[in-house]
Amino acid sequence: DVYKRQIYADCESKRRARLKWRKSRKGQWWDYKYSQRPEVKARRHEQYIKRLIKEAIAKSRSTSSSNAFALTPEAKELEKNFILNKGKLPWPVVRGVIIQKFGMQSHPVVKTAKIKSNGIIIATSAGQKVRTVFDGEVLSVLKFKGSNPTVLVRHGNFITAYKNLSKVYVKKGQEVFSSQDIGEVFTNKSSGKSTVQFSVFEKTSPVNPVFWL
């Protein structure tokens, strides 16, 4: 018992020391620097998107706790056609090349580190229009602090996400059609690179977009 109490006291002492450091000016500065890392911001955005989808599902099912949307006959038919077109959907940009794949992979800078991507990143040319890959309804237009807009389009229980836009042409609740322009790709002025991140979710679970295009 004495040994256990000593271990507890040591852990509590370390916890208080960490808390004190985090409250210090230097600790707050490091917390801010960490929060601005691209992979941290991306992970936070993905978590927010999943939470938003969960809330939308719950809202559609006022009397049920199911993890799927309550679909009308028309929405069920739309989802069926979306699935039937797997592997044949148009790209979200007319021209582009995949520069980051889906899933776990090496960090682009720190090669010893691993990152998890819930979508693919497509490099394209400046001014390219971003378009929907299938008919659907705009679930949300997200604007994160310090990041560029994201558009979510729902196709039954599937959601496609179009991230890193400079302009958005649609609004929440709007009906959209396959290959319709919904925005414009963002170009980084420092690097000169124009990229868009494309993701596909089945309910709240990300799936590999490459298999759908």
Side-chain angles (χ1 to χ4, degrees), residues 87 98 101-102 120 198 200 207-213:
I98 297 173
K101 61 184 180 179
F102 174 86
I120 57 175
F198 175 66
V200 179
V207 294
N208 194 336
V210 172
F211 298 149
W212 292 83
L213 300 177

Side-chain angles (χ1 to χ4, degrees), residues 72-90:
T72 63
E74 294 78 12
K76 290 179 181 178
E77 185 66 21
L78 177 67
E79 180 185 278
K80 178 182 176 182
N81 290 332
F82 183 81
I83 295 171
L84 288 174
N85 278 276
K86 184 176 182 178
K88 298 178 288 185
L89 298 175

